[in-house]
Amino acid sequence: MRALPRTEALPRVRGRPWSLSREGARALVLGGMGLLVGGLVFFYLWQGSAVSLLRAQRAELVLRLEELRRERELLEVRVLEAFSPQAVQQRVEELGLQLAAFPPDRVDYLILEDDEGPSP
């Protein structure tokens, strides 16, 4: 069996404090700056693409909103045409009802803004 060496007999190596040469420090700083600039460029491009995507979605929604406005206006016109005095008179005549007691100048229409009716 071999004996272990005593630690007092081993020479102690004294290390120098950690240091960099001037060129090494410069390379480290330039590398760090390059990483920072690369990160900023990546962030700029990523954010630009996100903004472009949001603008495209907004434009699509604006077009859809305009289409829905046109459809609503068309439906409003159809409702007004369906309930116009002429259309009502025509339907009454088709049903064979007599409106001699109610001439058109005595007929008036009440247009309600909502389903609840006029407020008291």
Side-chain angles (χ1 to χ4, degrees):
M1 180 130 179
R2 241 171 102 176
L4 295 173
R6 293 185 312 172
T7 55
E8 295 104 22
L10 294 174
R12 290 192 167 253
V13 178
R14 291 194 148 188
R16 292 186 306 168
W18 190 77
S19 63
L20 277 177
S21 66
R22 204 174 185 113
E23 293 80 21
R26 184 176 293 150
L28 189 62
V29 168
L30 287 176
M33 289 175 59
L35 284 174
L36 178 68
V37 169
L40 289 175
V41 166
F42 172 76
F43 180 69
Y44 175 77
L45 293 174
W46 173 71
Q47 196 164 24
S49 66
V51 167
S52 297
L53 178 65
L54 290 174
R55 283 183 182 159
Q57 289 175 347
R58 180 184 176 273
E60 187 177 308
L61 290 174
V62 166
L63 289 174
R64 177 72 177 136
L65 181 63
E66 187 61 34
E67 179 183 327
L68 290 173
R69 281 187 187 139
R70 284 194 304 265
E71 185 177 342
R72 187 191 75 204
E73 289 175 3
L74 175 67
L75 292 174
E76 285 176 356
V77 167
R78 286 184 181 171
V79 167
L80 289 176
E81 286 175 354
F83 292 103
S84 70
Q86 296 84 9
V88 171
Q89 181 70 30
Q90 182 182 2
R91 277 182 274 183
V92 166
E93 290 171 359
E94 288 174 359
L95 291 173
L97 299 175
Q98 299 296 326
L99 292 179
F102 300 102
D105 58 336
R106 289 187 55 198
V107 176
D108 198 10
Y109 293 91
L110 176 63
I111 299 174
L112 301 176
E113 294 298 323
D114 55 14
D115 293 336
E116 297 174 8
S119 59

